[in-house]
Amino acid sequence: MAVQISPSILSADFARLADEAAAVPNADWLHVDVMDNHFVPNLTLGLPVVESLRKATSTPLDCHLMIEDPDRWAPAYAEAGAGSVTIHAEAAKAPIRTLRQLRSLGARAGLALNPGTAIEPYEGLLSEVDMLLLMTVEPGFGGQKFLDLVLPKIRRARHLVDRHGGDIWLQVDGGVTAETIERCADAGADVFVAGSAVYDTPDPAAAIDNLRAKATR
Ligand code: DX5
Ligand code: ZN
């Protein structure tokens, strides 16, 4: 699978989201972090912003739902036109039903795991997912330090996904920078979320090119 870069608008200027999307024409996706101040201790944006952003850019939206009760809310993000919707395994009470709903609405279905959540119990769900998101920081905030202890889990996830067959993407999110992205790629990740490493630089598009080059082997 070709390397894909999904810059996180969590580090962008929320008052100028259309401009911030336009600043990364070389992005494969725009990563949209939805936080509800319950599943994580931070509050960001929700459906109305996603609906507006959908109209403001042609870059597909990669919605990462860090919310309680994703079974109730996730389908609406697919209906709003998100190309990919990712729910957290720790929050979903009916993940199979929700992942199937997402697919039936035409979105890619993603399942996210926090750093402390093992991958093995979810092997049986691989047939239901288009992407696994392995958090490489505790979710909630941009600009945190990459957790190297997740690297063995990325390797195990790559192994499980390869054994399963099919086309499941392996996304990493949190602390992904020019310094850490090679470790993630070596461990088997192929979709890279980067917030501060893209938007906290003078040239976000150049930062993406640099990340892509480092992750490509
Ligand atoms: C954290 C979010 C990430 C965040 C990453 O909970 O899910 O997507 O934006 O930011 P950086 O790349 O700065 O760690
Ligand atoms: Zn995220």
Side-chain angles (χ1 to χ4, degrees):
M1 235 279 298
V3 164
Q4 299 186 73
I5 309 289
S6 186
S8 168
I9 58 164
L10 185 60
S11 292
D13 180 347
F14 275 19
R16 299 172 41 254
L17 284 181
D19 296 340
E20 297 282 59
V24 290
N26 52 345
D28 298 284
W29 297 85
L30 272 187
H31 185 83
V32 180
D33 287 306
V34 177
M35 305 187 189
D36 67 351
N37 196 33
H38 289 275
F39 181 69
V40 289
N42 195 5
L43 184 67
T44 55
L45 51 83
L47 261 181
V49 175
V50 169
E51 284 163 357
S52 295
L53 199 54
R54 174 64 290 154
K55 293 180 216 143
T57 177
S58 57
T59 306
L61 303 182
D62 164 31
C63 289
H64 175 196
L65 306 187
M66 284 160 279
I67 60 174
E68 286 184 356
D69 208 359
D71 305 301
R72 174 175 173 193
W73 295 107
Y77 287 84
E79 282 163 353
S84 175
V85 180
T86 297
I87 59 170
H88 264 267
E90 301 85 359
K93 294 199 174 62
I96 296 169
R97 183 173 67 217
T98 304
L99 292 163
R100 287 187 178 183
Q101 255 179 309
L102 291 171
R103 280 178 162 178
S104 74
L105 290 165
R108 294 180 63 89
L111 185 69
L113 303 182
N114 283 339
T117 303
I119 176 73
E120 284 74 12
Y122 296 98
E123 184 177 357
L125 260 55
L126 288 183
S127 58
E128 308 297 329
V129 308
D130 299 304
M131 183 169 81
L132 278 178
L133 190 181
L134 301 185
M135 290 303 303
T136 40
V137 298
E138 293 289 4
F141 301 93
Q144 300 182 77
K145 192 174 175 311
F146 181 81
L147 293 173
D148 277 285
L149 65 78
V150 182
L151 288 169
K153 182 165 74 175
I154 300 172
R155 280 196 194 89
R156 294 202 305 277
R158 168 49 62 196
H159 182 69
L160 290 181
V161 161
D162 286 350
R163 205 171 63 189
H164 174 78
D167 186 20
I168 299 174
W169 299 349
L170 199 51
Q171 184 178 65
V172 284
D173 181 9
V176 176
T177 65
E179 202 252 316
T180 59
I181 196 167
E182 287 169 276
R183 275 175 260 169
C184 297
D186 284 342
D190 50 18
V191 187
F192 303 86
V193 177
S196 46
V198 170
Y199 278 111
D200 290 353
T201 66
D203 188 343
I208 289 177
D209 285 343
N210 185 36
L211 288 169
R212 196 188 300 281
K214 287 207 148 69
T216 302
R217 44 257 300 114

